Amino acid sequence: MRWIKVPGIQYPVSSSRQKVRHWALRTGYWILLAAAALLSALPTAPASTPLADDKHVSVYSPVAIYTLPVVERAGRDYVGLLELLEPLGRVSTNSNGGSLRLRYNAVDAEFFAGKTRAKIHGRDFDFAAPVLIENSRGLIPLTSLSGLLPRFLGAPVTFHESARRLFIGGVGIQPSFRLDAANPSRLLLNFSAPVNPTISTEPGKLRMVFKRDPVVSPGSQSIAFDNQVITHASYSENNGDAELDVAASQPLLATFSSDRRTITIAAIAPSPAQPASPTTNPAGTGATAGPQNPTPPAPPANSAANNNSGNNGNSHRMLAVVDPAHGGDERGAALTDTLAEKDVTLGFARLLRHELEVRGFAVALLRDADTSLTLDQRAAAANVAQAGIYISLHAVSQGSGARVYTALLPVEGASNGIFHAWNAAQAPILPISRVVCAAIVTEMQKKEFPAQRSSASLRPLNNVFMPAVAVELAPGANGIADLTSANYQQRAASAIADAVVSVRDRLGVQP
Ligand SMILES: [Zn+2]
């Protein structure tokens, strides 16, 4: 695949599909085009937005952050009174159908079915619409929340009514943006408290959705940057969520600092020169090298972008992409009642990064936090970065040791053009993937780590151009505790890294 740099392409945040296609063609990211086309061709929304259409209100307070469903009655929005107050303090209610008495901490109140007037702490309170009592449950008009709550809480309340976000006390988290002085192609977002957004990407845009963080506007809704790569950022809020979007002319990756107060956003750089691989396209190094300088990455975050931008052009380290499967709302397998696969894969990925780095590889983790990425985004990130190898990590509670997979490609025939190409991108390089897979199994067995090889139609293995394997970690002699044991993971990680070194000359992108 050729990597073509087209500088200065800037599209607005909400690119139309046409523009996305145009962008993809112009920049030569045909694989991103395939991903975008595939997603847009699906009749149903991606699985990551199952509740997007349900109306809800988010409540942020120093004692609790929660989301309440909003119900419509006679064209007005209502929320449950008990559900609203219960997370905030001690509540008891008692209803005879026509009225509802409620005690919240030391405050007594009485509400009357079909009436706008209520009594709170001995004083009248007038709602904007009648209170409803359904099955002994009080429903109150959403629009009256900012007046009602201070009567119970004695704290100031700010209600962003159109976005349905309610802030109790001074809980707002203020974001600020700045381009990294040492590397102006890198955007640093600082927050006044730790945050945990769901991050997704699409051509030309990186989106952070804050569902449970009381993030407020950074001051202006839109900020333009004097930068070729990262062009602007915008803030919006809707249906209980806040959203920060960053627009760019190249695919972006976001990484968190360890205190989760800083998110670093940078272009996914193509891998640096790969002398070991005859398939490397030298044009690739030019695509993001531009204004970046060779200073080392900022210490708090480790990412594809940081690792790459730290060694533009003058390093000969091959890029390995390590992909901790699952993340964010998508938890993967429930390994125990409390242990999610997504957490095991991330810890394992960090160990593997270290093992590969000490053996001379540049390593990109596709996520270095509890964030969600679609399978297409994972494949596209690896392809755009022109990694020498792609390693996906999973974990299971059954079996023992490790199972190492290569792609099982779709059956030939029934080709439908670009979709077929996307699903079979791995085909030309599959023999090398099998060599890598065999090497990993061999190294593991040398270290007396039980391992076997397998093939599976395990996406996104079939969507990547470079040698690609998935390693699924299963418990060892100590049972499920092994899955979180650094020692156990370490043995597996070092075997994988040794194996990758042993086949290094075979790695790289298939042209
Ligand atoms: Zn998995």
Side-chain angles (χ1 to χ4, degrees), residues 325-326 330 332-333 341 345 393-396 458 472:
H326 314 292
E330 204 249 292
E341 182 185 358
T345 59
L393 301 177
H394 288 262
V396 285
L458 191 61
E472 186 181 69

Side-chain angles (χ1 to χ4, degrees), residues 471-491:
V471 179
E472 186 181 69
L473 195 67
N478 300 317
I480 209 87
D482 279 333
L483 291 180
T484 49
S485 153
N487 185 35
Y488 186 75
Q489 291 186 1
Q490 177 71 37
R491 284 171 58 209

